[in-house]
Amino acid sequence: MNTIIIDGLAFALPLFIIAIGGIFSERSGVTNLALEGFLGFGAFVGAAVVTAITGGAFAGHETQMFLWALLFSVIGGAVFALLHALLCVKFKANQVISGVVINILATALTTFFTSQINTALFGKPTNKFVLGVCDKFTVPGLSKIPVLGSVFTDMYYFEPVIIVVALAASYVLYKSRFGLRLRACGENPHAVDAAGGNVARIRFFAVMISGALAGLGGICFAYVISASFSPSIYAGYGFLAIAAMIFGNWKIGPTLGACLLFGLARAAGYKLAQSLGLASAFSDLFMIFPYILTLLLLMFFSKTNRAPRALGEIYDKGKR
Amino acid sequence: MNEKKKSAVSPFGRGLVKLLGSERRQNISIPLFAILLSLIACAIVVALFGKNPLTTLVCFLQGSGVLPKPEYAAHAGQLSDFMSMINALTPMIFAALAVAVALKTGLFNIGVSGQMLAAGFIASVVVGYSNLPMAAAIPLVLVLGVAVGGAVGALIGFLKHRFNINEVVSSIMLNYILEYLISFFINQYYINMVSRQSNPVSVASRLTLMGVSVGDLRLDLPLGILLAVPTAFLMRFLLDRTRLGFELKVVGLNRRAAKYAGINVGRSMVLSMLISGALAGLAGVTYYLGTFNSIQPRVLTSVGFDSIAVCLLGNSNPVGILFSSLLITIISKGGNYMSSIMNIPQEISQVLTGLILLFSACGAYIRYYAAHAREQLAEESRTAGSSAPEGGERV
């Protein structure tokens, strides 16, 4: 049970922060299929920066390097998201196509630059940056609570970071003026315009926030899954985050529920496969578990599901 | 705006208006213009590597058999390269058509890869591992592809209609479910220990005739293309000329209006996803029992995702898709040869694809810009004609 919660959270929280990124973008009315690309590119920038700083030798200052990686992933994701923002907001591009293009470009560019940087630094054109491990900690006292205590046991350092960022993000989205306008942009951009808001600017920032959060989630995935950055980061987590966001009806609270569901069901599936001692091929069967569960739950919870009204529409001032 | 501006329209804008022509011509001229822009951008990228952009472009065309290479190995020729490109093109056409049909109904089928995999797997197991003769095997493979893909697609449509489950979510979930489920069966029953893929399907069931001797050459003849091109025209006929197609499009344009007009919206959505899934199924069988002959477990092909972009590049128009698939396949197929000849990393061809899609995504902006420039030009000529000397002040 403990390991299920520990592993489940380590998967659910990065997914959650990426999904929040998706919420920011889509609630402002910009369809975001580019999360996959954002998280990959963000993680790439973070990993590349720490590799360049340390030259691949992490011993002694892993935690410090981890924080640098986090910071630069956020920046990298935000900068890369500029492209999506420019295309969708300024150049009135089809938002779906832009998202797909950004995923293609992210895969190509990061693979290419990873091998280039590795050639320059180490003389070997590998497509992988080794990151070292992310330390874990246990909260004294709280971890002694039965069952719930395992939430506070063996936490990765990024977990509290994600929780804080998620809280800040939900404050911005639901309580600040910017958040109110952002949500209004997704429902009725003309009203925002009439009220003196700048639709283009709000959407621009929303997409950049989306990229920053996805970058943060991306580097966490890189640490927790393989302790390295490689093209295997493009395993569809961005699309999973989109699914979680839609499952959560484009709201932060329910989305957290969806992500926890994924994470815990996934960890439970792994654990079950392990404890039954079956051949490795059977683990694939247990991997299906979270997705089937989600589909079944969706049958009950989708009745009131509704996308932001102006989602995917290019804002045209003259249109009535 | 009272400055002594000579004209609000830059020379670039003037040129653009002339170049793009009338609104009607723009359906073709704008994509072409976007491709031209992206080629220029790519030329700059290539030039940054210190290589000649023009030779690089020629290399792409040579690698995909559109232009002859300077020399060939034995039994190879321009035609064999070209056929190999067509072999890769076939699944792409079907997959992009699948996206297009769903898109016309306002549904976003992001599960093409999963539908391809399901169809390919079932067809492999039922027909590929049997010893049916070719005359029975090939039609059966096609029928199975349509049936399995259609079933998965219809399930997505049904979930949307009955439970209001967003098709993007259910497609993504089904992608994962199919990926892992099929991976399990392959690993458990059909694995080839050497290649770590599923066992190769029988030659008789494969939709591509491999290594056929034509004169001095050995060719791979993809039979699927004979079906893919007519299917594109059939889809155009279905969407533009039939009542069903009209209903699908109305549902896509405005669901409420469609309902008001007495169209059964739920049925249309399920039907649209069924057709879309069936096309994806055809893409699956031409991919797994044509272009290739085995399935790699735990991998969803990227064709299903690239086809979204290809479909939009072709303006979701079935005939446009024929051309956009061709363009993208030439680039990805020619990339290998280009990379080895020019000594440029292979990933560049992916960047090139990205750039082309990127610029074509801006088609709406180019249209907007041209229309704006045209309006201003018209206004200027009007004011110039009435009273104002030289440009004049605009009100």
Side-chain angles (χ1 to χ4, degrees), chain A residues 277-315:
Chain A
L278 295 167
S280 67
F282 281 90
S283 70
D284 281 341
L285 274 187
F286 290 96
M287 296 287 286
I288 300 173
F289 186 53
Y291 308 111
I292 297 218
L293 188 66
T294 308
L295 264 187
L296 288 178
L297 285 174
L298 277 169
M299 289 183 186
F300 298 103
F301 292 114
S302 290
K303 275 277 168 286
T304 55
N305 215 325
R306 189 183 71 80
R309 188 165 291 142
L311 183 60
E313 268 177 33
I314 297 158
Y315 178 59

mmCIF file of all heavy atoms in Angstrom, chain A residues 277-315:
data_model
loop_
_atom_site.group_PDB
_atom_site.id
_atom_site.type_symbol
_atom_site.label_atom_id
_atom_site.label_comp_id
_atom_site.label_asym_id
_atom_site.label_seq_id
_atom_site.Cartn_x
_atom_site.Cartn_y
_atom_site.Cartn_z
ATOM 1 N N GLY A 277 4.002 -12.267 -9.261
ATOM 2 C CA GLY A 277 5.157 -12.975 -9.782
ATOM 3 C C GLY A 277 4.954 -13.545 -11.173
ATOM 4 O O GLY A 277 5.430 -14.622 -11.492
ATOM 5 N N LEU A 278 4.239 -12.809 -12.029
ATOM 6 C CA LEU A 278 3.971 -13.308 -13.377
ATOM 7 C C LEU A 278 5.112 -12.945 -14.320
ATOM 8 O O LEU A 278 5.973 -12.123 -13.994
ATOM 9 C CB LEU A 278 2.669 -12.706 -13.895
ATOM 10 C CG LEU A 278 1.415 -13.126 -13.132
ATOM 11 C CD1 LEU A 278 0.250 -12.255 -13.510
ATOM 12 C CD2 LEU A 278 1.112 -14.588 -13.409
ATOM 13 N N ALA A 279 5.091 -13.551 -15.503
ATOM 14 C CA ALA A 279 6.101 -13.243 -16.504
ATOM 15 C C ALA A 279 5.978 -11.775 -16.903
ATOM 16 O O ALA A 279 4.909 -11.162 -16.758
ATOM 17 C CB ALA A 279 5.914 -14.140 -17.729
ATOM 18 N N SER A 280 7.071 -11.217 -17.415
ATOM 19 C CA SER A 280 7.095 -9.772 -17.650
ATOM 20 C C SER A 280 6.040 -9.357 -18.670
ATOM 21 O O SER A 280 5.543 -8.232 -18.632
ATOM 22 C CB SER A 280 8.478 -9.344 -18.117
ATOM 23 O OG SER A 280 8.729 -9.898 -19.385
ATOM 24 N N ALA A 281 5.685 -10.259 -19.594
ATOM 25 C CA ALA A 281 4.686 -9.909 -20.595
ATOM 26 C C ALA A 281 3.364 -9.543 -19.936
ATOM 27 O O ALA A 281 2.633 -8.684 -20.418
ATOM 28 C CB ALA A 281 4.472 -11.063 -21.564
ATOM 29 N N PHE A 282 3.083 -10.136 -18.776
ATOM 30 C CA PHE A 282 1.807 -9.879 -18.126
ATOM 31 C C PHE A 282 1.727 -8.474 -17.546
ATOM 32 O O PHE A 282 0.631 -7.969 -17.318
ATOM 33 C CB PHE A 282 1.556 -10.916 -17.025
ATOM 34 C CG PHE A 282 1.076 -12.224 -17.563
ATOM 35 C CD1 PHE A 282 1.966 -13.214 -17.918
ATOM 36 C CD2 PHE A 282 -0.280 -12.452 -17.732
ATOM 37 C CE1 PHE A 282 1.536 -14.409 -18.443
ATOM 38 C CE2 PHE A 282 -0.726 -13.653 -18.241
ATOM 39 C CZ PHE A 282 0.182 -14.626 -18.607
ATOM 40 N N SER A 283 2.871 -7.861 -17.304
ATOM 41 C CA SER A 283 2.820 -6.509 -16.757
ATOM 42 C C SER A 283 2.103 -5.578 -17.735
ATOM 43 O O SER A 283 1.460 -4.615 -17.330
ATOM 44 C CB SER A 283 4.226 -6.000 -16.451
ATOM 45 O OG SER A 283 4.923 -5.768 -17.643
ATOM 46 N N ASP A 284 2.197 -5.900 -19.031
ATOM 47 C CA ASP A 284 1.473 -5.106 -20.022
ATOM 48 C C ASP A 284 -0.028 -5.120 -19.756
ATOM 49 O O ASP A 284 -0.705 -4.116 -19.916
ATOM 50 C CB ASP A 284 1.730 -5.641 -21.435
ATOM 51 C CG ASP A 284 3.067 -5.184 -21.961
ATOM 52 O OD1 ASP A 284 3.590 -4.208 -21.403
ATOM 53 O OD2 ASP A 284 3.575 -5.800 -22.900
ATOM 54 N N LEU A 285 -0.527 -6.278 -19.340
ATOM 55 C CA LEU A 285 -1.958 -6.386 -19.060
ATOM 56 C C LEU A 285 -2.348 -5.462 -17.910
ATOM 57 O O LEU A 285 -3.390 -4.817 -17.939
ATOM 58 C CB LEU A 285 -2.322 -7.827 -18.703
ATOM 59 C CG LEU A 285 -2.633 -8.762 -19.853
ATOM 60 C CD1 LEU A 285 -3.145 -10.080 -19.317
ATOM 61 C CD2 LEU A 285 -3.678 -8.138 -20.767
ATOM 62 N N PHE A 286 -1.474 -5.366 -16.911
ATOM 63 C CA PHE A 286 -1.809 -4.531 -15.767
ATOM 64 C C PHE A 286 -1.676 -3.049 -16.093
ATOM 65 O O PHE A 286 -2.288 -2.206 -15.458
ATOM 66 C CB PHE A 286 -0.936 -4.913 -14.573
ATOM 67 C CG PHE A 286 -1.292 -6.254 -14.009
ATOM 68 C CD1 PHE A 286 -0.599 -7.388 -14.388
ATOM 69 C CD2 PHE A 286 -2.353 -6.383 -13.130
ATOM 70 C CE1 PHE A 286 -0.948 -8.626 -13.894
ATOM 71 C CE2 PHE A 286 -2.706 -7.619 -12.636
ATOM 72 C CZ PHE A 286 -2.004 -8.750 -13.013
ATOM 73 N N MET A 287 -0.853 -2.765 -17.102
ATOM 74 C CA MET A 287 -0.694 -1.367 -17.514
ATOM 75 C C MET A 287 -2.007 -0.811 -18.063
ATOM 76 O O MET A 287 -2.222 0.391 -18.098
ATOM 77 C CB MET A 287 0.376 -1.249 -18.599
ATOM 78 C CG MET A 287 1.759 -1.626 -18.160
ATOM 79 S SD MET A 287 2.459 -0.406 -17.089
ATOM 80 C CE MET A 287 2.834 0.875 -18.268
ATOM 81 N N ILE A 288 -2.862 -1.681 -18.537
ATOM 82 C CA ILE A 288 -4.124 -1.233 -19.125
ATOM 83 C C ILE A 288 -5.051 -0.682 -18.058
ATOM 84 O O ILE A 288 -5.881 0.184 -18.310
ATOM 85 C CB ILE A 288 -4.819 -2.422 -19.831
ATOM 86 C CG1 ILE A 288 -3.927 -2.954 -20.922
ATOM 87 C CG2 ILE A 288 -6.155 -2.024 -20.386
ATOM 88 C CD1 ILE A 288 -4.463 -4.213 -21.525
ATOM 89 N N PHE A 289 -4.866 -1.184 -16.846
ATOM 90 C CA PHE A 289 -5.763 -0.904 -15.739
ATOM 91 C C PHE A 289 -6.173 0.567 -15.600
ATOM 92 O O PHE A 289 -7.371 0.884 -15.620
ATOM 93 C CB PHE A 289 -5.111 -1.456 -14.470
ATOM 94 C CG PHE A 289 -5.958 -1.379 -13.260
ATOM 95 C CD1 PHE A 289 -7.239 -1.906 -13.253
ATOM 96 C CD2 PHE A 289 -5.489 -0.761 -12.103
ATOM 97 C CE1 PHE A 289 -8.022 -1.835 -12.118
ATOM 98 C CE2 PHE A 289 -6.274 -0.682 -10.971
ATOM 99 C CZ PHE A 289 -7.540 -1.221 -10.982
ATOM 100 N N PRO A 290 -5.212 1.507 -15.487
ATOM 101 C CA PRO A 290 -5.648 2.895 -15.283
ATOM 102 C C PRO A 290 -6.522 3.426 -16.420
ATOM 103 O O PRO A 290 -7.450 4.199 -16.167
ATOM 104 C CB PRO A 290 -4.340 3.686 -15.186
ATOM 105 C CG PRO A 290 -3.274 2.779 -15.626
ATOM 106 C CD PRO A 290 -3.745 1.389 -15.432
ATOM 107 N N TYR A 291 -6.251 2.978 -17.633
ATOM 108 C CA TYR A 291 -6.973 3.537 -18.778
ATOM 109 C C TYR A 291 -8.398 2.994 -18.848
ATOM 110 O O TYR A 291 -9.333 3.728 -19.152
ATOM 111 C CB TYR A 291 -6.200 3.254 -20.062
ATOM 112 C CG TYR A 291 -4.769 3.706 -19.954
ATOM 113 C CD1 TYR A 291 -3.719 2.803 -19.903
ATOM 114 C CD2 TYR A 291 -4.472 5.060 -19.824
ATOM 115 C CE1 TYR A 291 -2.415 3.226 -19.751
ATOM 116 C CE2 TYR A 291 -3.174 5.496 -19.674
ATOM 117 C CZ TYR A 291 -2.144 4.572 -19.643
ATOM 118 O OH TYR A 291 -0.870 5.000 -19.476
ATOM 119 N N ILE A 292 -8.545 1.709 -18.545
ATOM 120 C CA ILE A 292 -9.894 1.135 -18.532
ATOM 121 C C ILE A 292 -10.714 1.766 -17.416
ATOM 122 O O ILE A 292 -11.871 2.168 -17.603
ATOM 123 C CB ILE A 292 -9.815 -0.396 -18.336
ATOM 124 C CG1 ILE A 292 -9.090 -1.010 -19.518
ATOM 125 C CG2 ILE A 292 -11.205 -0.975 -18.122
ATOM 126 C CD1 ILE A 292 -9.634 -2.324 -19.988
ATOM 127 N N LEU A 293 -10.081 1.897 -16.271
ATOM 128 C CA LEU A 293 -10.761 2.506 -15.127
ATOM 129 C C LEU A 293 -11.249 3.912 -15.500
ATOM 130 O O LEU A 293 -12.390 4.293 -15.228
ATOM 131 C CB LEU A 293 -9.786 2.567 -13.953
ATOM 132 C CG LEU A 293 -10.366 2.986 -12.616
ATOM 133 C CD1 LEU A 293 -11.340 1.932 -12.125
ATOM 134 C CD2 LEU A 293 -9.261 3.178 -11.588
ATOM 135 N N THR A 294 -10.360 4.667 -16.156
ATOM 136 C CA THR A 294 -10.729 6.025 -16.556
ATOM 137 C C THR A 294 -11.930 6.017 -17.489
ATOM 138 O O THR A 294 -12.876 6.796 -17.314
ATOM 139 C CB THR A 294 -9.544 6.702 -17.268
ATOM 140 O OG1 THR A 294 -8.407 6.580 -16.436
ATOM 141 C CG2 THR A 294 -9.834 8.149 -17.536
ATOM 142 N N LEU A 295 -11.882 5.135 -18.484
ATOM 143 C CA LEU A 295 -12.994 5.081 -19.438
ATOM 144 C C LEU A 295 -14.309 4.771 -18.718
ATOM 145 O O LEU A 295 -15.338 5.400 -18.981
ATOM 146 C CB LEU A 295 -12.733 4.006 -20.489
ATOM 147 C CG LEU A 295 -12.124 4.465 -21.800
ATOM 148 C CD1 LEU A 295 -12.078 3.320 -22.784
ATOM 149 C CD2 LEU A 295 -12.896 5.621 -22.392
ATOM 150 N N LEU A 296 -14.243 3.809 -17.779
ATOM 151 C CA LEU A 296 -15.462 3.431 -17.055
ATOM 152 C C LEU A 296 -15.977 4.609 -16.230
ATOM 153 O O LEU A 296 -17.172 4.925 -16.242
ATOM 154 C CB LEU A 296 -15.175 2.232 -16.143
ATOM 155 C CG LEU A 296 -14.974 0.909 -16.873
ATOM 156 C CD1 LEU A 296 -14.637 -0.200 -15.889
ATOM 157 C CD2 LEU A 296 -16.231 0.544 -17.658
ATOM 158 N N LEU A 297 -15.061 5.274 -15.538
ATOM 159 C CA LEU A 297 -15.483 6.398 -14.708
ATOM 160 C C LEU A 297 -16.061 7.524 -15.563
ATOM 161 O O LEU A 297 -17.020 8.188 -15.177
ATOM 162 C CB LEU A 297 -14.307 6.923 -13.887
ATOM 163 C CG LEU A 297 -13.925 6.044 -12.704
ATOM 164 C CD1 LEU A 297 -12.664 6.562 -12.043
ATOM 165 C CD2 LEU A 297 -15.060 6.024 -11.690
ATOM 166 N N LEU A 298 -15.449 7.708 -16.738
ATOM 167 C CA LEU A 298 -15.927 8.776 -17.616
ATOM 168 C C LEU A 298 -17.383 8.556 -18.007
ATOM 169 O O LEU A 298 -18.129 9.502 -18.219
ATOM 170 C CB LEU A 298 -15.061 8.852 -18.876
ATOM 171 C CG LEU A 298 -13.767 9.634 -18.728
ATOM 172 C CD1 LEU A 298 -12.880 9.404 -19.930
ATOM 173 C CD2 LEU A 298 -14.055 11.107 -18.580
ATOM 174 N N MET A 299 -17.775 7.298 -18.111
ATOM 175 C CA MET A 299 -19.156 7.016 -18.499
ATOM 176 C C MET A 299 -20.124 7.623 -17.487
ATOM 177 O O MET A 299 -21.230 8.006 -17.830
ATOM 178 C CB MET A 299 -19.385 5.511 -18.572
ATOM 179 C CG MET A 299 -18.692 4.872 -19.755
ATOM 180 S SD MET A 299 -19.066 3.132 -19.820
ATOM 181 C CE MET A 299 -18.008 2.636 -21.156
ATOM 182 N N PHE A 300 -19.692 7.701 -16.229
ATOM 183 C CA PHE A 300 -20.583 8.255 -15.208
ATOM 184 C C PHE A 300 -20.404 9.756 -15.036
ATOM 185 O O PHE A 300 -21.324 10.454 -14.651
ATOM 186 C CB PHE A 300 -20.332 7.553 -13.872
ATOM 187 C CG PHE A 300 -20.629 6.086 -13.919
ATOM 188 C CD1 PHE A 300 -19.612 5.162 -13.998
ATOM 189 C CD2 PHE A 300 -21.944 5.639 -13.928
ATOM 190 C CE1 PHE A 300 -19.885 3.808 -14.060
ATOM 191 C CE2 PHE A 300 -22.226 4.290 -13.998
ATOM 192 C CZ PHE A 300 -21.198 3.377 -14.067
ATOM 193 N N PHE A 301 -19.187 10.241 -15.302
ATOM 194 C CA PHE A 301 -18.907 11.624 -14.927
ATOM 195 C C PHE A 301 -18.868 12.587 -16.109
ATOM 196 O O PHE A 301 -18.539 13.748 -15.942
ATOM 197 C CB PHE A 301 -17.584 11.701 -14.165
ATOM 198 C CG PHE A 301 -17.657 11.049 -12.821
ATOM 199 C CD1 PHE A 301 -16.922 9.918 -12.528
ATOM 200 C CD2 PHE A 301 -18.495 11.569 -11.850
ATOM 201 C CE1 PHE A 301 -17.007 9.314 -11.289
ATOM 202 C CE2 PHE A 301 -18.584 10.974 -10.606
ATOM 203 C CZ PHE A 301 -17.838 9.845 -10.329
ATOM 204 N N SER A 302 -19.206 12.110 -17.305
ATOM 205 C CA SER A 302 -19.049 12.985 -18.469
ATOM 206 C C SER A 302 -20.294 13.775 -18.812
ATOM 207 O O SER A 302 -20.259 14.619 -19.685
ATOM 208 C CB SER A 302 -18.638 12.173 -19.695
ATOM 209 O OG SER A 302 -17.333 11.730 -19.528
ATOM 210 N N LYS A 303 -21.380 13.493 -18.124
ATOM 211 C CA LYS A 303 -22.648 14.115 -18.508
ATOM 212 C C LYS A 303 -22.549 15.634 -18.599
ATOM 213 O O LYS A 303 -23.059 16.257 -19.514
ATOM 214 C CB LYS A 303 -23.736 13.727 -17.507
ATOM 215 C CG LYS A 303 -24.377 12.392 -17.844
ATOM 216 C CD LYS A 303 -25.468 12.560 -18.891
ATOM 217 C CE LYS A 303 -25.904 11.217 -19.441
ATOM 218 N NZ LYS A 303 -24.927 10.612 -20.363
ATOM 219 N N THR A 304 -21.888 16.227 -17.608
ATOM 220 C CA THR A 304 -21.864 17.692 -17.557
ATOM 221 C C THR A 304 -20.591 18.266 -18.153
ATOM 222 O O THR A 304 -20.312 19.441 -18.014
ATOM 223 C CB THR A 304 -21.982 18.170 -16.104
ATOM 224 O OG1 THR A 304 -20.940 17.544 -15.348
ATOM 225 C CG2 THR A 304 -23.317 17.812 -15.517
ATOM 226 N N ASN A 305 -19.815 17.397 -18.812
ATOM 227 C CA ASN A 305 -18.541 17.857 -19.350
ATOM 228 C C ASN A 305 -18.751 18.891 -20.452
ATOM 229 O O ASN A 305 -19.538 18.686 -21.360
ATOM 230 C CB ASN A 305 -17.788 16.659 -19.915
ATOM 231 C CG ASN A 305 -16.308 16.789 -19.706
ATOM 232 O OD1 ASN A 305 -15.790 17.892 -19.771
ATOM 233 N ND2 ASN A 305 -15.635 15.699 -19.442
ATOM 234 N N ARG A 306 -18.073 20.023 -20.349
ATOM 235 C CA ARG A 306 -18.258 21.073 -21.350
ATOM 236 C C ARG A 306 -16.938 21.817 -21.563
ATOM 237 O O ARG A 306 -16.313 22.266 -20.603
ATOM 238 C CB ARG A 306 -19.321 22.059 -20.891
ATOM 239 C CG ARG A 306 -19.727 23.053 -21.943
ATOM 240 C CD ARG A 306 -20.727 24.036 -21.385
ATOM 241 N NE ARG A 306 -20.105 24.943 -20.440
ATOM 242 C CZ ARG A 306 -19.406 26.003 -20.805
ATOM 243 N NH1 ARG A 306 -19.239 26.294 -22.066
ATOM 244 N NH2 ARG A 306 -18.859 26.788 -19.894
ATOM 245 N N ALA A 307 -16.547 21.949 -22.794
ATOM 246 C CA ALA A 307 -15.304 22.647 -23.099
ATOM 247 C C ALA A 307 -15.546 24.152 -23.032
ATOM 248 O O ALA A 307 -16.674 24.609 -23.186
ATOM 249 C CB ALA A 307 -14.820 22.257 -24.495
ATOM 250 N N PRO A 308 -14.484 24.944 -22.783
ATOM 251 C CA PRO A 308 -14.642 26.405 -22.874
ATOM 252 C C PRO A 308 -15.239 26.784 -24.224
ATOM 253 O O PRO A 308 -14.883 26.206 -25.244
ATOM 254 C CB PRO A 308 -13.199 26.910 -22.749
ATOM 255 C CG PRO A 308 -12.486 25.850 -21.990
ATOM 256 C CD PRO A 308 -13.138 24.563 -22.377
ATOM 257 N N ARG A 309 -16.162 27.731 -24.222
ATOM 258 C CA ARG A 309 -16.967 27.971 -25.417
ATOM 259 C C ARG A 309 -16.139 28.457 -26.603
ATOM 260 O O ARG A 309 -16.380 28.062 -27.732
ATOM 261 C CB ARG A 309 -18.057 28.993 -25.093
ATOM 262 C CG ARG A 309 -19.060 29.161 -26.209
ATOM 263 C CD ARG A 309 -20.293 29.888 -25.729
ATOM 264 N NE ARG A 309 -21.067 29.067 -24.798
ATOM 265 C CZ ARG A 309 -21.687 29.563 -23.726
ATOM 266 N NH1 ARG A 309 -21.615 30.844 -23.452
ATOM 267 N NH2 ARG A 309 -22.373 28.767 -22.945
ATOM 268 N N ALA A 310 -15.177 29.309 -26.350
ATOM 269 C CA ALA A 310 -14.414 29.889 -27.462
ATOM 270 C C ALA A 310 -13.145 29.097 -27.739
ATOM 271 O O ALA A 310 -12.248 29.573 -28.421
ATOM 272 C CB ALA A 310 -14.067 31.340 -27.156
ATOM 273 N N LEU A 311 -13.080 27.857 -27.231
ATOM 274 C CA LEU A 311 -11.858 27.065 -27.400
ATOM 275 C C LEU A 311 -11.589 26.790 -28.876
ATOM 276 O O LEU A 311 -12.473 26.348 -29.596
ATOM 277 C CB LEU A 311 -12.013 25.738 -26.645
ATOM 278 C CG LEU A 311 -10.806 24.809 -26.662
ATOM 279 C CD1 LEU A 311 -9.613 25.501 -26.041
ATOM 280 C CD2 LEU A 311 -11.107 23.526 -25.932
ATOM 281 N N GLY A 312 -10.367 27.093 -29.276
ATOM 282 C CA GLY A 312 -9.969 26.793 -30.644
ATOM 283 C C GLY A 312 -10.356 27.845 -31.656
ATOM 284 O O GLY A 312 -9.978 27.758 -32.811
ATOM 285 N N GLU A 313 -11.116 28.836 -31.215
ATOM 286 C CA GLU A 313 -11.524 29.877 -32.162
ATOM 287 C C GLU A 313 -10.464 30.965 -32.203
ATOM 288 O O GLU A 313 -9.972 31.410 -31.181
ATOM 289 C CB GLU A 313 -12.843 30.509 -31.718
ATOM 290 C CG GLU A 313 -14.043 29.843 -32.328
ATOM 291 C CD GLU A 313 -15.325 30.464 -31.811
ATOM 292 O OE1 GLU A 313 -15.335 31.678 -31.539
ATOM 293 O OE2 GLU A 313 -16.297 29.711 -31.669
ATOM 294 N N ILE A 314 -10.163 31.394 -33.414
ATOM 295 C CA ILE A 314 -9.233 32.498 -33.551
ATOM 296 C C ILE A 314 -9.998 33.777 -33.262
ATOM 297 O O ILE A 314 -11.087 33.985 -33.797
ATOM 298 C CB ILE A 314 -8.650 32.528 -34.973
ATOM 299 C CG1 ILE A 314 -7.855 31.246 -35.219
ATOM 300 C CG2 ILE A 314 -7.789 33.739 -35.174
ATOM 301 C CD1 ILE A 314 -7.691 30.917 -36.661
ATOM 302 N N TYR A 315 -9.439 34.615 -32.394
ATOM 303 C CA TYR A 315 -10.180 35.819 -32.025
ATOM 304 C C TYR A 315 -10.101 36.846 -33.148
ATOM 305 O O TYR A 315 -9.029 37.250 -33.579
ATOM 306 C CB TYR A 315 -9.628 36.418 -30.737
ATOM 307 C CG TYR A 315 -10.332 37.688 -30.357
ATOM 308 C CD1 TYR A 315 -11.705 37.680 -30.146
ATOM 309 C CD2 TYR A 315 -9.649 38.891 -30.235
ATOM 310 C CE1 TYR A 315 -12.370 38.833 -29.823
ATOM 311 C CE2 TYR A 315 -10.310 40.046 -29.903
ATOM 312 C CZ TYR A 315 -11.677 40.013 -29.694
ATOM 313 O OH TYR A 315 -12.341 41.154 -29.383
#
